[in-house]
Amino acid sequence: MKQLLKLTGCLALAGLFASCQSAQQDANYQIIPMPQEIVTAQGNPFILKSGVKILYPEGNEKMQRNAQFLADYLKTATGKDFAIEAGTEGKNAIVLTLGTANENPESYQLKVTGDGITITGPTEAGVFYGIQSLRKSLPVAVGADISMPAVEINDAPRFGYRGAHFDTSRHFFTVDEVKTYIDMMALHNMNRFHWHITEDQGWRLEIKKYPKLTEIGSKRTETVIGRNSGEYDGKPYGGFYTQEQAKEIVAYAAERYITVIPEIDLPGHMQAALAAYPELGCTGGPYEVWRQWGVSEDVLCAGNDQVLKFLEDVYSELIEIFPSEYIHVGGDECPKVRWEKCPKCQARIKALGLKSDDKHSKEERLQSFVINHIEKFLNDHGRQIIGWDEILEGGLAPNATVMSWRGEKGGIEAAKQKHDVIMTPNTYLYFDYYQTKDTENEPLGIGGYLPLERVYSYEPMPASLTPEEQKYIKGVQANLWTEYIPTFSHAQYMVLPRWAALSEIQWSAPDKKNYEDFLSRLPRLIKWYDAEGYNYAKHVFNVTAEYTPNPTDGTLDITLSTIDNAPIHYTLDGTEPTAASPLYESPLKIKENVTFSAIAVRPTGNSRVVSEKVNFSKSSMKPIVANQPVNEQYMFKGESTLVDGLKGNGNYKTGRWIAFYKNDMDMTIDLQQPTEISSVAISTCVEKGDWVFDARGLSVEVSDDGKNFTKVASEEYPAMKESDKNGIYEHKLSFSPVKTQYVKVVALSESKMPAWHGGKDSPAFLFVDEITID
């Protein structure tokens, strides 16, 4: 992290120094998100320099505030002050005005001529987005005048809901930090701030009728170290927002045309509330504010009328603070084990006549009763609910909007039921996931792997929906859960620059999206991150290495590139590369064991080192075919992953592992000539909580013709125990030397997970890496 911060400083200082030397610099309208229409015009450019005024319609406070925002942005870019005046006409001015025929309230037109700039929108919000586009087209060039080529930009967002989520419950963030998060959203044209403010690990909002929620529920005695290691830091942790502070944040967001949607999660994720008011739980407690991460089995008692009254009281105060149409009620990850044994909950199930069927248990239907009760209460008070896709279980509340997080399946189902949907799939938009495969040099993350390119590739309109059903997809949001994100600079690092990719999903037309073009535009936006002092991940400036097995030549071909075509230097002997190391000019063809490393060399500082060990065996870079399917979701680069000489780490989502589900791994490798072999080894990656288990057996067969095989070795492995650790498992079979051309390797997957597992009797995933033959 220290190296990253140093690089930020270098980039910022170098950019500042360079810009101070130049009397005039050019604007560039190729921004993020990419506008719908950019028409370059004939005529002289407009020179943005001292003396230019910003004009707004007299008597319009929102437009006056827009003008002040623009003046502040221009000050950051140029270091100059720009006067603000009421008025709608004038040369040598930036005129903000209401108008345009576009029906989209957030649309705008940005017009530049030699005489000045006009930003027009049907609403003040539209003008604000025009201001953001003007801002991002400017170089950060303190002391310079800026030449703005003549242009007409006509733009409007694709989606009306463009969200970013922030969990301030697992870790607490100050009012000023939340405001900065909102400023970051404005830079990316976002308009919905999903504020997650209650959890098992902390209740963060003052509720006047229930003072113990913050007196007790906002404080945990200590916090688990790492990923539920069983060790604790011994430090009390807490924090909450008063209602006045929450209103201050709501107002701050509204000035930037951002609506705050609060989430009080129910009926699960409520252990902090139970610690304060134990009578609301099924067992009566005692409870503690949870010190660890995960999902607590202690939830609100759905059979207790006092719980319904508590929820009505809490939401009554919530809607006085938050004027948003939508209130988020959570509804996710609510274990039913307490309800199954609770007399009150079972009495409620009986009184309501709830029954289990092949779709839903009676306890899931009880959760729907609670969600429906709160929905009716909020509807009666003029509000609508949003819930996570678990609210589909047990039957969907009548007017609910579904936030689809467990992939897209819940969103697709809800749209087919004619319910509005916000797409926020963890498979693309959970920004607590790692951004790089090099997790050892990253701050702690929850796991997973979501690089910038994968985020950018997301298309939120499922092809399986009809055009009529697609109309129910109202927007897109990325989520930031903070179990492992204790500081605000870490939070910024996790969302930037992935928010840049997100903003283009939310705003731009899909036919305008192109990842290479996006990368070419990204460095200009990152200069604004530097100018505003935002911490961000630098992976985009690292060397990108593509590793391609080449069976024809028997080589691993390594192709290197950078976002800005910076020179790349590399080594193959394990030493750290420098500017004196060999210069990369064409793909490297590796034929033996090496430790490859590369850096991009820039005047502003070198990138992080990209490094990889390549280990050759007799199977490396040989043709390989799958006799049973590779799981589509985790296919990555397919079968060749198993013979590319590259080892995966403990994260099964990096693309170094491929998966098998509901069938075994069954591979045939062509050694291309009769070859003596005496051992075969594989690696598996285990993450039991994600239904990823070890192999149950391994066998090796050989053949001279690729058709008739003889088994030479096999071994069975026991079912995994609950106490078995997650991580990498190695399996090796040794046998008497045999000469053969074809080798069939079969690893048996777990067809029925054990009784101790939540997915008992279901098949498990098998993730396999390198097949090593010697």
Side-chain angles (χ1 to χ4, degrees):
M1 285 294 286
K2 284 179 184 172
Q3 285 180 328
L4 294 180
L5 292 169
K6 273 187 201 168
L7 179 57
T8 311
C10 290
L11 288 169
L13 286 171
L16 188 64
F17 180 76
S19 64
C20 289
Q21 308 308 303
S22 172
Q24 186 167 295
Q25 293 203 16
D26 294 331
N28 189 324
Y29 304 119
Q30 300 292 310
I31 59 172
I32 294 172
M34 188 67 175
Q36 308 290 3
E37 181 184 71
I38 302 174
V39 181
T40 51
Q42 298 299 315
N44 295 326
F46 177 69
I47 307 303
L48 183 62
K49 58 185 179 181
S50 297
V52 171
K53 292 179 179 177
I54 302 171
L55 304 180
Y56 66 91
E58 191 165 1
N60 187 322
E61 287 184 19
K62 288 182 179 179
M63 292 289 270
Q64 184 177 1
R65 190 161 53 234
N66 280 348
Q68 187 58 57
F69 283 133
L70 178 54
D72 293 342
Y73 301 147
L74 295 182
K75 173 90 170 182
T76 300
T78 68
K80 300 173 183 178
D81 292 307
F82 291 84
I84 298 169
E85 292 181 6
T88 53
E89 292 183 12
K91 286 191 175 183
N92 201 34
I94 303 173
V95 180
L96 309 181
T97 182
L98 294 173
T100 81
N102 195 318
E103 292 181 2
N104 189 317
E106 295 178 305
S107 64
Y108 69 88
Q109 182 187 75
L110 170 61
K111 198 168 185 177
V112 179
T113 69
D115 293 330
I117 301 170
T118 306
I119 301 175
T120 312
T123 65
E124 293 86 356
V127 172
F128 182 75
Y129 295 118
I131 288 169
Q132 297 304 322
S133 292
L134 175 60
R135 168 195 192 184
K136 286 178 276 194
S137 70
L138 303 176
V140 179
V142 174
D145 294 342
I146 297 171
S147 174
M148 307 205 63
V151 75
E152 183 177 307
I153 297 174
N154 293 292
D155 197 12
R158 181 183 183 192
F159 290 104
Y161 183 113
R162 303 182 301 283
H165 157 286
F166 197 17
D167 167 17
T168 62
S169 302
R170 272 53 175 262
H171 282 100
F172 178 76
F173 298 87
T174 66
V175 170
D176 283 345
E177 287 169 341
V178 174
K179 286 179 176 179
T180 300
Y181 202 77
I182 289 165
D183 285 332
M184 289 159 52
M185 289 176 63
L187 177 65
H188 295 85
N189 293 23
M190 297 176 190
N191 66 355
R192 296 290 188 278
F193 174 46
H194 176 174
W195 195 8
H196 188 83
I197 43 180
T198 64
E199 257 308 333
D200 293 320
Q201 296 84 6
W203 185 286
R204 303 281 173 229
L205 181 68
E206 175 191 29
I207 301 295
K208 295 185 186 297
K209 192 164 184 178
Y210 296 92
K212 290 181 187 176
L213 287 173
T214 46
E215 289 170 10
I216 295 171
S218 71
K219 302 164 189 169
R220 55 181 182 258
T221 55
E222 57 186 351
T223 304
V224 71
I225 296 169
R227 295 194 183 93
N228 286 348
S229 62
E231 297 179 18
Y232 293 83
D233 63 11
K235 299 173 186 173
Y237 189 91
F240 67 91
Y241 307 96
T242 66
Q243 293 195 3
E244 286 308 307
Q245 287 174 323
K247 287 176 181 175
E248 183 184 329
I249 286 168
V250 167
Y252 189 87
E255 289 176 352
R256 290 149 184 81
Y257 307 95
I258 293 169
T259 301
V260 181
I261 297 174
E263 179 187 358
I264 289 187
D265 206 343
L266 66 94
H269 291 279
M270 273 280 183
Q271 190 163 314
L274 296 181
Y277 296 96
E279 64 272 19
L280 300 177
C282 290
T283 67
Y287 307 100
E288 64 168 3
V289 179
W290 227 19
R291 299 172 293 140
Q292 66 186 59
W293 313 124
V295 179
S296 170
E297 292 182 346
D298 287 304
V299 302
L300 293 176
C301 177
N304 185 347
D305 287 339
Q306 192 179 348
V307 165
L308 300 179
K309 179 70 167 64
F310 165 78
L311 291 173
E312 289 179 6
D313 291 341
V314 167
Y315 280 101
S316 290
E317 292 193 32
L318 196 73
I319 60 181
E320 291 300 314
I321 303 166
F322 297 94
S324 58
E325 177 190 0
Y326 286 104
I327 303 292
H328 205 300
V329 299
D332 64 315
E333 298 177 328
C334 179
K336 310 298 190 292
V337 291
R338 298 286 184 259
W339 293 359
E340 288 167 1
K341 297 175 182 176
C342 172
K344 287 183 180 177
C345 291
Q346 291 303 312
R348 174 91 73 195
I349 285 170
K350 188 174 181 181
L352 294 170
L354 304 179
K355 306 285 185 190
S356 297
D357 57 27
D358 58 352
K359 283 190 174 181
H360 304 296
S361 70
K362 58 186 189 294
E363 285 77 22
E364 286 175 336
R365 297 198 183 281
L366 181 61
Q367 172 160 326
S368 278
F369 160 76
V370 178
I371 299 287
N372 277 310
H373 182 90
I374 292 307
E375 183 188 46
K376 185 177 186 310
F377 175 81
L378 288 169
N379 288 171
D380 289 346
H381 290 78
R383 306 302 180 90
Q384 302 291 323
I385 70 163
I386 295 182
W388 300 110
D389 55 53
E390 285 95 331
I391 67 172
L392 287 158
E393 295 167 2
L396 193 52
N399 304 306
T401 295
V402 171
M403 197 164 263
S404 187
W405 75 275
R406 295 177 299 178
E408 294 185 307
K409 183 180 175 185
I412 291 168
E413 187 180 333
K416 286 180 181 294
Q417 294 181 28
K418 296 183 166 51
H419 281 267
D420 287 349
V421 174
I422 309 301
M423 284 297 195
T424 176
N426 59 345
T427 45
Y428 291 93
L429 299 177
Y430 265 45
F431 290 174
D432 51 338
Y433 288 12
Y434 285 112
Q435 306 172 68
T436 173
K437 298 174 187 177
D438 181 20
T439 54
E440 290 178 9
N441 291 307
E442 288 291 289
L444 190 62
I446 200 167
Y449 175 53
L450 281 180
L452 189 67
E453 184 172 10
R454 178 162 175 82
V455 175
Y456 192 81
S457 72
Y458 180 53
E459 169 46 50
M461 287 293 189
S464 61
L465 295 179
T466 66
E468 192 60 35
E469 289 166 341
Q470 285 185 347
K471 291 177 183 175
Y472 291 98
I473 309 294
K474 297 299 184 183
V476 186
Q477 174 177 295
N479 296 338
L480 186 68
W481 303 100
T482 61
E483 290 95 331
Y484 306 109
I485 301 174
T487 66
F488 188 61
S489 64
H490 188 174
Q492 290 180 311
Y493 180 86
M494 298 305 278
V495 301
L496 301 179
R498 288 191 283 195
W499 270 9
L502 171 67
S503 74
E504 206 134 293
I505 299 165
Q506 293 172 332
W507 185 281
S508 302
D511 61 356
K512 290 271 196 270
K513 284 181 63 193
N514 176 286
Y515 185 64
E516 295 304 318
D517 181 60
F518 166 79
L519 287 181
S520 74
R521 291 178 276 125
L522 185 57
R524 290 193 295 279
L525 180 61
I526 284 175
K527 285 183 178 170
W528 273 97
Y529 296 171
D530 286 328
E532 299 290 358
Y534 301 153
N535 188 35
Y536 57 92
K538 312 296 185 302
H539 310 106
V540 72
F541 290 109
N542 292 344
V543 175
T544 299
E546 286 290 327
Y547 305 93
T548 307
N550 184 339
T552 304
D553 296 345
T555 59
L556 179 69
D557 297 347
I558 305 178
T559 305
L560 307 179
S561 61
T562 58
I563 189 174
D564 55 356
N565 296 316
I568 300 168
H569 295 262
Y570 69 92
T571 60
L572 298 174
D573 59 2
T575 59
E576 186 160 321
T578 67
S581 302
L583 177 69
Y584 172 82
E585 293 175 312
S586 60
L588 308 175
K589 299 183 81 66
I590 307 301
K591 287 190 171 183
E592 58 191 358
N593 293 356
V594 301
T595 298
F596 155 77
S597 301
I599 57 166
V601 175
R602 297 181 178 92
T604 52
N606 295 347
S607 72
R608 184 187 285 186
V609 175
V610 171
S611 192
E612 197 71 58
K613 279 189 176 179
V614 184
N615 293 298
F616 271 70
S617 75
K618 291 177 180 178
S619 54
S620 299
M621 319 312 153
K622 299 297 193 294
I624 180 171
V625 294
N627 305 310
Q628 294 189 51
V630 180
N631 175 256
E632 281 189 20
Q633 186 179 356
Y634 297 107
M635 179 177 283
F636 300 109
K637 290 189 174 179
E639 298 89 336
S640 65
T641 305
L642 301 178
V643 292
D644 62 5
L646 305 171
K647 284 280 197 175
N649 60 18
N651 183 347
Y652 65 84
K653 295 180 179 177
T654 61
R656 290 290 160 81
W657 305 88
I658 59 174
F660 304 86
Y661 184 60
K662 297 184 178 178
N663 59 260
D664 301 323
M665 182 202 83
D666 185 346
M667 294 287 170
T668 301
I669 299 166
D670 179 0
L671 301 179
Q672 296 182 304
Q673 62 185 27
T675 305
E676 185 172 275
I677 66 170
S678 59
S679 70
V680 172
I682 66 168
S683 305
T684 63
C685 189
V686 171
E687 191 68 49
K688 301 192 303 294
D690 291 354
W691 296 29
V692 179
F693 274 53
D694 192 16
R696 290 301 306 273
L698 181 64
S699 67
V700 179
E701 300 176 30
V702 298
S703 170
D704 294 328
D705 60 6
K707 296 174 183 175
N708 301 295
F709 284 86
T710 303
K711 187 179 289 187
V712 295
S714 66
E715 197 167 46
E716 292 184 358
Y717 308 121
M720 297 203 80
K721 301 188 293 292
E722 191 170 6
S723 57
D724 288 336
K725 290 186 176 179
N726 293 329
I728 298 173
Y729 285 68
E730 306 283 354
H731 300 287
K732 184 174 182 178
L733 294 178
S734 296
F735 41 88
S736 299
V738 58
K739 206 167 195 177
T740 186
Q741 179 168 338
Y742 297 93
V743 183
K744 182 187 281 192
V745 184
V746 178
L748 304 179
S749 64
E750 178 59 82
S751 60
K752 281 190 175 182
M753 283 183 280
W756 56 260
H757 194 271
K760 64 180 179 182
D761 294 335
S762 296
F765 285 89
L766 173 66
F767 275 82
V768 184
D769 186 19
E770 206 66 8
I771 298 175
T772 303
I773 299 179
D774 284 309

